[in-house]
Short mmCIF file of all heavy atoms in Angstrom, two decimals:
data_model
loop_
_atom_site.label_atom_id
_atom_site.label_comp_id
_atom_site.label_asym_id
_atom_site.label_seq_id
_atom_site.Cartn_x
_atom_site.Cartn_y
_atom_site.Cartn_z
N MET E 66 11.36 3.83 63.73
CA MET E 66 12.08 3.48 64.92
C MET E 66 13.26 2.57 64.60
O MET E 66 14.29 2.66 65.24
CB MET E 66 11.15 2.76 65.88
CG MET E 66 10.98 3.46 67.18
SD MET E 66 9.78 2.57 68.18
CE MET E 66 10.68 2.53 69.68
N ALA E 67 13.08 1.70 63.65
CA ALA E 67 14.15 0.75 63.33
C ALA E 67 15.41 1.44 62.86
O ALA E 67 16.50 0.91 63.02
CB ALA E 67 13.67 -0.25 62.27
N LEU E 68 15.28 2.61 62.28
CA LEU E 68 16.45 3.34 61.78
C LEU E 68 16.89 4.47 62.70
O LEU E 68 17.81 5.20 62.37
CB LEU E 68 16.14 3.90 60.38
CG LEU E 68 15.79 2.86 59.32
CD1 LEU E 68 15.41 3.55 58.03
CD2 LEU E 68 16.94 1.89 59.11
N SER E 69 16.24 4.60 63.84
CA SER E 69 16.55 5.69 64.76
C SER E 69 17.90 5.49 65.42
O SER E 69 18.26 4.38 65.80
CB SER E 69 15.48 5.79 65.84
OG SER E 69 14.23 6.06 65.28
N SER E 70 18.60 6.59 65.60
CA SER E 70 19.89 6.55 66.30
C SER E 70 19.63 6.55 67.81
O SER E 70 18.53 6.81 68.28
CB SER E 70 20.72 7.77 65.92
OG SER E 70 20.12 8.94 66.45
N GLN E 71 20.69 6.28 68.56
CA GLN E 71 20.57 6.32 70.01
C GLN E 71 20.17 7.72 70.47
O GLN E 71 19.36 7.85 71.39
CB GLN E 71 21.89 5.90 70.66
CG GLN E 71 22.16 4.42 70.52
CD GLN E 71 23.45 4.00 71.18
OE1 GLN E 71 24.28 4.81 71.56
NE2 GLN E 71 23.63 2.70 71.31
N ARG E 72 20.73 8.73 69.85
CA ARG E 72 20.38 10.10 70.24
C ARG E 72 18.91 10.41 69.97
O ARG E 72 18.24 11.04 70.78
CB ARG E 72 21.29 11.10 69.50
CG ARG E 72 21.04 12.53 69.88
CD ARG E 72 21.44 12.80 71.32
NE ARG E 72 21.00 14.14 71.69
CZ ARG E 72 20.34 14.41 72.80
NH1 ARG E 72 20.07 13.48 73.66
NH2 ARG E 72 19.95 15.63 73.07
N MET E 73 18.41 9.95 68.83
CA MET E 73 17.00 10.16 68.52
C MET E 73 16.10 9.44 69.52
O MET E 73 15.07 9.96 69.94
CB MET E 73 16.70 9.69 67.09
CG MET E 73 17.29 10.58 66.02
SD MET E 73 17.07 9.92 64.36
CE MET E 73 15.30 10.06 64.18
N MET E 74 16.50 8.24 69.91
CA MET E 74 15.72 7.49 70.88
C MET E 74 15.76 8.17 72.25
O MET E 74 14.74 8.24 72.93
CB MET E 74 16.22 6.05 70.98
CG MET E 74 15.91 5.22 69.75
SD MET E 74 14.16 5.23 69.27
CE MET E 74 13.40 4.49 70.70
N GLU E 75 16.91 8.69 72.62
CA GLU E 75 16.99 9.40 73.90
C GLU E 75 16.05 10.61 73.90
O GLU E 75 15.33 10.84 74.87
CB GLU E 75 18.42 9.86 74.17
CG GLU E 75 18.58 10.50 75.52
CD GLU E 75 20.01 10.85 75.87
OE1 GLU E 75 20.94 10.52 75.09
OE2 GLU E 75 20.20 11.45 76.93
N ARG E 76 16.02 11.34 72.81
CA ARG E 76 15.09 12.48 72.71
C ARG E 76 13.64 12.02 72.81
O ARG E 76 12.82 12.67 73.46
CB ARG E 76 15.31 13.24 71.41
CG ARG E 76 16.49 14.17 71.49
CD ARG E 76 16.56 15.09 70.28
NE ARG E 76 17.83 14.81 69.63
CZ ARG E 76 18.04 14.66 68.35
NH1 ARG E 76 17.07 14.79 67.50
NH2 ARG E 76 19.23 14.40 67.88
N ALA E 77 13.32 10.90 72.17
CA ALA E 77 11.96 10.37 72.24
C ALA E 77 11.61 9.95 73.67
O ALA E 77 10.50 10.21 74.14
CB ALA E 77 11.80 9.19 71.29
N PHE E 78 12.55 9.32 74.35
CA PHE E 78 12.30 8.93 75.74
C PHE E 78 12.11 10.15 76.63
O PHE E 78 11.23 10.17 77.50
CB PHE E 78 13.45 8.08 76.28
CG PHE E 78 13.57 6.70 75.64
CD1 PHE E 78 14.81 6.17 75.36
CD2 PHE E 78 12.45 5.95 75.33
CE1 PHE E 78 14.93 4.90 74.79
CE2 PHE E 78 12.55 4.70 74.76
CZ PHE E 78 13.79 4.18 74.49
N LEU E 79 12.91 11.18 76.40
CA LEU E 79 12.77 12.42 77.17
C LEU E 79 11.42 13.07 76.89
O LEU E 79 10.75 13.57 77.81
CB LEU E 79 13.91 13.39 76.86
CG LEU E 79 15.28 12.97 77.39
CD1 LEU E 79 16.36 13.86 76.80
CD2 LEU E 79 15.31 13.00 78.91
N LYS E 80 11.02 13.06 75.64
CA LYS E 80 9.72 13.64 75.27
C LYS E 80 8.58 12.85 75.93
O LYS E 80 7.54 13.42 76.27
CB LYS E 80 9.55 13.62 73.75
CG LYS E 80 8.33 14.34 73.27
CD LYS E 80 8.27 14.40 71.76
CE LYS E 80 7.04 15.14 71.32
NZ LYS E 80 6.94 15.19 69.86
N GLY E 81 8.81 11.55 76.13
CA GLY E 81 7.84 10.71 76.82
C GLY E 81 7.91 10.82 78.33
O GLY E 81 7.30 10.04 79.05
N ARG E 82 8.71 11.78 78.80
CA ARG E 82 8.83 12.13 80.21
C ARG E 82 9.62 11.12 81.05
O ARG E 82 9.43 11.02 82.26
CB ARG E 82 7.48 12.39 80.84
CG ARG E 82 6.74 13.58 80.20
CD ARG E 82 5.49 13.84 80.91
NE ARG E 82 4.88 15.08 81.12
CZ ARG E 82 5.38 16.29 81.27
NH1 ARG E 82 6.63 16.49 81.18
NH2 ARG E 82 4.64 17.33 81.52
N LEU E 83 10.52 10.37 80.42
CA LEU E 83 11.44 9.53 81.19
C LEU E 83 12.47 10.45 81.83
O LEU E 83 12.88 11.43 81.21
CB LEU E 83 12.16 8.56 80.25
CG LEU E 83 12.02 7.07 80.51
CD1 LEU E 83 10.60 6.63 80.59
CD2 LEU E 83 12.80 6.28 79.53
N PRO E 84 12.89 10.16 83.03
CA PRO E 84 13.95 10.96 83.65
C PRO E 84 15.21 10.90 82.78
O PRO E 84 15.48 9.87 82.13
CB PRO E 84 14.19 10.28 85.00
CG PRO E 84 12.93 9.51 85.27
CD PRO E 84 12.40 9.11 83.93
N PRO E 85 15.98 11.97 82.72
CA PRO E 85 17.16 12.02 81.85
C PRO E 85 18.15 10.87 82.02
O PRO E 85 18.66 10.33 81.04
CB PRO E 85 17.81 13.36 82.20
CG PRO E 85 16.68 14.19 82.69
CD PRO E 85 15.76 13.25 83.40
N ASP E 86 18.41 10.47 83.27
CA ASP E 86 19.36 9.37 83.48
C ASP E 86 18.83 8.06 82.93
O ASP E 86 19.57 7.28 82.32
CB ASP E 86 19.74 9.24 84.95
CG ASP E 86 18.55 9.02 85.87
OD1 ASP E 86 17.44 9.47 85.53
OD2 ASP E 86 18.73 8.39 86.94
N LEU E 87 17.54 7.82 83.09
CA LEU E 87 16.94 6.59 82.57
C LEU E 87 16.85 6.64 81.04
O LEU E 87 17.08 5.63 80.37
CB LEU E 87 15.56 6.38 83.18
CG LEU E 87 14.85 5.08 82.84
CD1 LEU E 87 15.73 3.87 83.16
CD2 LEU E 87 13.54 4.99 83.59
N ALA E 88 16.53 7.80 80.50
CA ALA E 88 16.45 7.95 79.03
C ALA E 88 17.80 7.65 78.40
O ALA E 88 17.87 6.95 77.38
CB ALA E 88 15.99 9.36 78.67
N ALA E 89 18.87 8.16 79.00
CA ALA E 89 20.22 7.91 78.46
C ALA E 89 20.57 6.43 78.55
O ALA E 89 21.14 5.86 77.61
CB ALA E 89 21.24 8.74 79.23
N ARG E 90 20.21 5.80 79.65
CA ARG E 90 20.51 4.37 79.82
C ARG E 90 19.74 3.51 78.81
O ARG E 90 20.29 2.59 78.22
CB ARG E 90 20.17 3.95 81.24
CG ARG E 90 20.55 2.55 81.55
CD ARG E 90 20.32 2.24 83.00
NE ARG E 90 20.72 0.88 83.26
CZ ARG E 90 20.87 0.38 84.44
NH1 ARG E 90 20.69 1.14 85.50
NH2 ARG E 90 21.20 -0.87 84.61
N GLU E 91 18.48 3.80 78.64
CA GLU E 91 17.66 3.04 77.69
C GLU E 91 18.14 3.27 76.26
O GLU E 91 18.19 2.33 75.46
CB GLU E 91 16.19 3.41 77.83
CG GLU E 91 15.56 2.94 79.13
CD GLU E 91 15.57 1.43 79.27
OE1 GLU E 91 15.27 0.73 78.29
OE2 GLU E 91 15.87 0.97 80.38
N ALA E 92 18.48 4.49 75.93
CA ALA E 92 18.96 4.79 74.58
C ALA E 92 20.27 4.09 74.28
O ALA E 92 20.52 3.69 73.15
CB ALA E 92 19.10 6.30 74.41
N ALA E 93 21.11 3.92 75.30
CA ALA E 93 22.40 3.24 75.11
C ALA E 93 22.21 1.78 74.70
O ALA E 93 23.08 1.19 74.06
CB ALA E 93 23.23 3.33 76.38
N ALA E 94 21.08 1.21 75.05
CA ALA E 94 20.79 -0.18 74.69
C ALA E 94 20.26 -0.30 73.26
O ALA E 94 20.04 -1.40 72.77
CB ALA E 94 19.77 -0.77 75.67
N TRP E 95 20.05 0.83 72.60
CA TRP E 95 19.47 0.86 71.26
C TRP E 95 20.55 0.56 70.22
O TRP E 95 21.04 1.42 69.53
CB TRP E 95 18.81 2.22 71.02
CG TRP E 95 17.83 2.21 69.91
CD1 TRP E 95 17.96 2.85 68.71
CD2 TRP E 95 16.58 1.54 69.86
NE1 TRP E 95 16.86 2.61 67.93
CE2 TRP E 95 16.00 1.81 68.60
CE3 TRP E 95 15.88 0.71 70.75
CZ2 TRP E 95 14.76 1.29 68.22
CZ3 TRP E 95 14.66 0.21 70.37
CH2 TRP E 95 14.12 0.51 69.14
N VAL E 96 20.91 -0.70 70.12
CA VAL E 96 21.96 -1.18 69.23
C VAL E 96 21.33 -2.06 68.16
O VAL E 96 20.17 -2.50 68.31
CB VAL E 96 23.05 -1.93 70.02
CG1 VAL E 96 23.78 -0.98 70.95
CG2 VAL E 96 22.46 -3.08 70.80
N PRO E 97 22.03 -2.34 67.07
CA PRO E 97 21.43 -3.12 65.99
C PRO E 97 20.75 -4.43 66.42
O PRO E 97 19.64 -4.71 65.97
CB PRO E 97 22.60 -3.36 65.03
CG PRO E 97 23.44 -2.14 65.19
CD PRO E 97 23.36 -1.84 66.67
N PRO E 98 21.34 -5.26 67.30
CA PRO E 98 20.63 -6.48 67.70
C PRO E 98 19.29 -6.19 68.38
O PRO E 98 18.31 -6.91 68.18
CB PRO E 98 21.59 -7.18 68.67
CG PRO E 98 22.93 -6.66 68.30
CD PRO E 98 22.71 -5.24 67.87
N MET E 99 19.24 -5.11 69.17
CA MET E 99 17.99 -4.73 69.83
C MET E 99 16.95 -4.32 68.79
O MET E 99 15.79 -4.71 68.85
CB MET E 99 18.23 -3.58 70.80
CG MET E 99 16.97 -3.02 71.43
SD MET E 99 16.20 -4.10 72.61
CE MET E 99 17.23 -3.76 74.01
N ARG E 100 17.37 -3.52 67.82
CA ARG E 100 16.44 -3.08 66.77
C ARG E 100 15.92 -4.27 65.98
O ARG E 100 14.73 -4.34 65.67
CB ARG E 100 17.12 -2.07 65.85
CG ARG E 100 17.39 -0.75 66.52
CD ARG E 100 17.79 0.33 65.54
NE ARG E 100 19.04 0.05 64.86
CZ ARG E 100 20.19 0.63 65.14
NH1 ARG E 100 20.27 1.50 66.11
NH2 ARG E 100 21.27 0.34 64.45
N ARG E 101 16.79 -5.22 65.66
CA ARG E 101 16.35 -6.41 64.92
C ARG E 101 15.35 -7.22 65.74
O ARG E 101 14.35 -7.71 65.21
CB ARG E 101 17.55 -7.28 64.55
CG ARG E 101 18.33 -6.75 63.37
CD ARG E 101 19.32 -7.78 62.85
NE ARG E 101 20.34 -8.15 63.82
CZ ARG E 101 21.49 -7.51 64.00
NH1 ARG E 101 21.78 -6.44 63.28
NH2 ARG E 101 22.36 -7.92 64.90
N SER E 102 15.60 -7.35 67.02
CA SER E 102 14.69 -8.10 67.89
C SER E 102 13.31 -7.45 67.95
O SER E 102 12.28 -8.13 67.87
CB SER E 102 15.26 -8.21 69.30
OG SER E 102 16.44 -8.94 69.30
N ILE E 103 13.29 -6.14 68.10
CA ILE E 103 12.02 -5.42 68.17
C ILE E 103 11.27 -5.53 66.85
O ILE E 103 10.06 -5.75 66.82
CB ILE E 103 12.24 -3.96 68.58
CG1 ILE E 103 12.72 -3.92 70.03
CG2 ILE E 103 10.99 -3.12 68.37
CD1 ILE E 103 13.19 -2.58 70.50
N ARG E 104 12.01 -5.42 65.76
CA ARG E 104 11.38 -5.55 64.44
C ARG E 104 10.79 -6.94 64.26
O ARG E 104 9.67 -7.09 63.77
CB ARG E 104 12.40 -5.22 63.35
CG ARG E 104 11.79 -5.12 61.98
CD ARG E 104 12.76 -4.59 60.93
NE ARG E 104 14.07 -5.22 60.98
CZ ARG E 104 15.21 -4.56 61.15
NH1 ARG E 104 15.22 -3.26 61.29
NH2 ARG E 104 16.35 -5.20 61.17
N ALA E 105 11.50 -7.98 64.69
CA ALA E 105 11.00 -9.35 64.57
C ALA E 105 9.75 -9.55 65.43
O ALA E 105 8.78 -10.19 64.99
CB ALA E 105 12.08 -10.34 64.98
N LEU E 106 9.74 -8.98 66.64
CA LEU E 106 8.56 -9.09 67.50
C LEU E 106 7.37 -8.39 66.87
O LEU E 106 6.25 -8.90 66.89
CB LEU E 106 8.85 -8.49 68.87
CG LEU E 106 9.69 -9.35 69.81
CD1 LEU E 106 10.11 -8.54 71.02
CD2 LEU E 106 8.93 -10.58 70.22
N TYR E 107 7.60 -7.21 66.32
CA TYR E 107 6.52 -6.47 65.67
C TYR E 107 5.94 -7.26 64.51
O TYR E 107 4.73 -7.39 64.36
CB TYR E 107 7.03 -5.11 65.18
CG TYR E 107 5.99 -4.40 64.34
CD1 TYR E 107 4.93 -3.73 64.95
CD2 TYR E 107 6.05 -4.43 62.96
CE1 TYR E 107 3.96 -3.10 64.18
CE2 TYR E 107 5.09 -3.80 62.19
CZ TYR E 107 4.05 -3.14 62.80
OH TYR E 107 3.11 -2.54 62.04
N ARG E 108 6.83 -7.81 63.69
CA ARG E 108 6.36 -8.56 62.53
C ARG E 108 5.59 -9.81 62.93
O ARG E 108 4.59 -10.16 62.30
CB ARG E 108 7.52 -8.92 61.62
CG ARG E 108 8.06 -7.71 60.89
CD ARG E 108 9.24 -8.05 60.05
NE ARG E 108 9.69 -6.87 59.31
CZ ARG E 108 10.86 -6.76 58.74
NH1 ARG E 108 11.72 -7.76 58.79
NH2 ARG E 108 11.19 -5.65 58.12
N SER E 109 6.02 -10.49 63.99
CA SER E 109 5.30 -11.68 64.42
C SER E 109 3.94 -11.31 65.03
O SER E 109 2.96 -12.02 64.85
CB SER E 109 6.12 -12.49 65.42
OG SER E 109 6.28 -11.81 66.64
N ALA E 110 3.87 -10.20 65.75
CA ALA E 110 2.62 -9.77 66.37
C ALA E 110 1.66 -9.20 65.33
O ALA E 110 0.44 -9.25 65.52
CB ALA E 110 2.90 -8.72 67.44
N ASN E 111 2.17 -8.68 64.23
CA ASN E 111 1.32 -8.10 63.20
C ASN E 111 0.34 -9.13 62.66
O ASN E 111 -0.78 -8.79 62.30
CB ASN E 111 2.18 -7.53 62.08
CG ASN E 111 1.39 -6.64 61.15
OD1 ASN E 111 0.43 -5.99 61.58
ND2 ASN E 111 1.79 -6.58 59.91
N GLY E 112 0.71 -10.39 62.65
CA GLY E 112 -0.18 -11.44 62.16
C GLY E 112 -1.26 -11.81 63.15
O GLY E 112 -2.14 -12.60 62.84
N LEU E 113 -1.23 -11.24 64.36
CA LEU E 113 -2.20 -11.58 65.39
C LEU E 113 -3.37 -10.61 65.45
O LEU E 113 -4.17 -10.66 66.36
CB LEU E 113 -1.51 -11.60 66.76
CG LEU E 113 -0.40 -12.63 66.92
CD1 LEU E 113 0.25 -12.48 68.29
CD2 LEU E 113 -0.92 -14.03 66.73
N ARG E 114 -3.48 -9.75 64.47
CA ARG E 114 -4.58 -8.76 64.48
C ARG E 114 -5.92 -9.46 64.28
O ARG E 114 -6.02 -10.44 63.55
CB ARG E 114 -4.36 -7.72 63.39
CG ARG E 114 -3.15 -6.88 63.69
CD ARG E 114 -3.02 -5.78 62.71
NE ARG E 114 -1.79 -5.07 63.02
CZ ARG E 114 -1.58 -3.82 62.74
NH1 ARG E 114 -2.51 -3.13 62.13
NH2 ARG E 114 -0.46 -3.25 63.04
N PHE E 115 -6.91 -8.92 64.90
CA PHE E 115 -8.25 -9.46 64.82
C PHE E 115 -9.16 -8.45 64.13
O PHE E 115 -8.83 -7.27 64.04
CB PHE E 115 -8.79 -9.77 66.22
CG PHE E 115 -7.99 -10.80 66.96
CD1 PHE E 115 -6.99 -10.41 67.84
CD2 PHE E 115 -8.20 -12.15 66.75
CE1 PHE E 115 -6.23 -11.35 68.51
CE2 PHE E 115 -7.46 -13.10 67.41
CZ PHE E 115 -6.47 -12.70 68.29
N ASN E 116 -10.31 -8.90 63.69
CA ASN E 116 -11.27 -7.99 63.06
C ASN E 116 -11.60 -6.87 64.03
O ASN E 116 -11.83 -7.09 65.19
CB ASN E 116 -12.53 -8.72 62.65
CG ASN E 116 -12.32 -9.63 61.47
OD1 ASN E 116 -11.42 -9.39 60.67
ND2 ASN E 116 -13.12 -10.67 61.35
N GLY E 117 -11.62 -5.67 63.54
CA GLY E 117 -11.96 -4.52 64.36
C GLY E 117 -10.77 -3.86 65.04
O GLY E 117 -10.91 -2.85 65.69
N ASP E 118 -9.59 -4.44 64.91
CA ASP E 118 -8.39 -3.85 65.51
C ASP E 118 -7.86 -2.73 64.66
O ASP E 118 -7.93 -2.72 63.50
CB ASP E 118 -7.28 -4.87 65.70
CG ASP E 118 -7.51 -5.74 66.93
OD1 ASP E 118 -8.46 -5.47 67.66
OD2 ASP E 118 -6.71 -6.66 67.13
#
């Protein structure tokens, strides 16, 4: 996901059954600062795993 283009994200949103107008809008927000933020959140949450997860 971190390396996905806006077009790839739009296709993923459409595949997830988002309406086309919303998928395009969400994909347009898929810019490098957004990707970095999501990656940082994922990495911080990764340390919160518990036994059995």
